[in-house]
Amino acid sequence: EDATLDVAAVNETFQACWNAWNRDEPLVERDASDIGLGSSRLRLSELSWVPPRLALTYEAARLKIGNASDSTVTYQTKGPHHPWGGPFTLEPGAAHKFDVAFPMLFRRQVNGRWEHFTLPAGAHVEFRTRPKGGPRLFTVRGSTKN
């Protein structure tokens, strides 16, 4: 709201910096880090120039559970103040996405025993095949697209 701000100069500077940042890349797509807000994660969903402002829109980061193993997996999830959901069945190569802004409890039964995890908001996890013992849940590092 500063009347002394030269909006045209800011726009020109932004465009010059954007072009310099992307000059060696064929695509203008870059990853942006999530923003932590308490136990929630917010992910950049849109960037736009609405003169005289650069507008950033954030949404709750999706929680993604993928299956990179060669076995079908069955599991349940639970949010705060909610009963257990599922059971969910995840075929090899498939993924489930949950639009939740909170950590989610995860459980599945393995050899007659319950395996429990807390999945952080915005996490990307996947089942992978182990040499012995069947599929196991792993965190996918560096993933911001889910």
Side-chain angles (χ1 to χ4, degrees):
E1 303 301 326
D2 185 349
T4 63
L5 181 66
D6 185 348
V7 175
V10 171
N11 185 16
E12 185 178 317
T13 301
F14 175 78
Q15 288 179 359
C17 292
W18 183 266
N19 291 337
W21 187 39
N22 289 291
R23 74 174 165 257
D24 297 327
E25 299 291 327
L27 299 175
V28 292
E29 183 176 318
R30 298 281 189 202
D31 289 338
S33 298
D34 289 349
I35 294 175
L37 185 62
S39 62
S40 298
R41 307 290 306 163
L42 297 177
R43 184 159 294 148
L44 182 65
S45 65
E46 184 179 347
L47 174 103
S48 57
W49 177 255
V50 182
R53 294 177 180 84
L54 177 64
L56 305 174
T57 303
Y58 285 84
E59 296 178 350
R62 285 182 165 173
L63 190 144
K64 182 178 179 180
I65 301 173
N67 188 357
S69 78
D70 54 8
S71 302
T72 299
V73 178
T74 302
Y75 66 92
Q76 293 179 292
T77 62
K78 180 182 184 328
H81 315 293
H82 296 281
W84 284 101
F88 302 104
T89 301
L90 193 55
E91 300 293 331
H96 292 156
K97 295 177 183 179
F98 297 88
D99 289 322
V100 295
F102 47 79
M104 215 167 54
L105 297 177
F106 169 97
R107 75 178 181 186
R108 72 179 188 125
Q109 211 163 28
V110 180
N111 299 326
R113 303 182 116 193
W114 286 103
E115 184 177 73
H116 291 264
F117 297 101
T118 299
L119 304 178
H124 179 185
V125 297
E126 71 180 10
F127 287 96
R128 296 179 187 160
T129 302
R130 297 183 311 155
K132 295 180 183 177
R136 186 75 186 212
L137 197 60
F138 291 86
T139 300
V140 177
R141 302 250 181 239
S143 176
T144 60
K145 297 177 185 176
N146 55 357

